[in-house]
Amino acid sequence: AKLGGKKQVFVYDAAARRSVLVSGKLGVPGAGDSDQPALSADGTKLAFRSEADLLKGGEHGSWKRQIYLYDAAAGGALSLISKTAAGEPAHGGSYTPSINEDGSVIAFVSEAENLPWPLSNAAQAQVKLAKGRRLRVWLSKENRLLAVGGRR
């Protein structure tokens, strides 16, 4: 759905019979397009891509197309997923989030130069593991697996 001329992401709560705006702050739609939602099987977590700076304090920075996680079980907490181990936002577009059944693992593709990888001309899928640990997967432009590693 579009609000304020931008695509937004919603979650429909069937029990409460209402839609919840996920890609905004305090009910105000995000100022950039949000899309590519991926919902965990248990329905408590939603990963999505957004061009809007959705976190307080400008943590998104000037970089577009970040991956965020909405956690309904944590009171609707929103967190930036496409970031370095030090918490810096990805310096390049991040796309196509995928999430496992309970929301503890999120994979996405990123063009960011500050998410380190040793291979040139490769896309990086970064998998966020439970407790903030990460596993990096490098893919060729033909989506062939090149390397796995970098647990942190």
Side-chain angles (χ1 to χ4, degrees):
K2 281 194 173 188
L3 291 176
K6 301 295 180 181
K7 293 185 287 185
Q8 303 296 326
V9 175
F10 295 84
V11 172
Y12 180 73
D13 182 340
R17 294 184 177 179
R18 67 182 182 101
S19 293
V20 176
L21 175 66
V22 172
S23 57
K25 295 180 192 175
L26 304 171
V28 177
D33 284 332
S34 296
D35 55 16
Q36 300 181 350
L39 186 64
S40 63
D42 67 4
T44 62
K45 295 184 176 89
L46 179 88
F48 64 97
R49 178 181 76 161
S50 184
E51 294 181 354
D53 186 357
L54 299 176
L55 299 178
K56 194 169 28 171
E59 294 174 43
H60 180 109
S62 62
W63 304 101
K64 299 287 187 179
R65 297 182 202 95
Q66 300 291 344
I67 304 298
Y68 289 91
L69 178 67
Y70 171 83
D71 189 345
L78 194 62
S79 56
L80 178 64
I81 299 300
S82 52
K83 61 184 179 180
T84 67
E88 183 180 359
H91 290 184
S94 295
Y95 309 91
T96 58
S98 181
I99 192 166
N100 74 336
E101 286 186 11
D102 67 1
S104 63
V105 178
I106 300 165
F108 62 91
V109 175
S110 183
E111 298 170 350
E113 295 176 7
N114 66 328
L115 298 178
W117 57 54
L119 306 170
S120 61
N121 297 321
Q124 175 187 24
Q126 178 169 288
V127 180
K128 183 177 183 289
L129 303 173
K131 298 183 182 175
R133 296 178 6 174
R134 295 176 189 273
L135 174 67
R136 288 188 167 83
V137 180
W138 292 272
L139 305 171
S140 71
K141 288 187 176 185
E142 296 80 30
N143 289 322
R144 292 191 183 114
L145 182 66
L146 297 175
V148 177
R151 279 187 182 220
R152 292 184 185 187

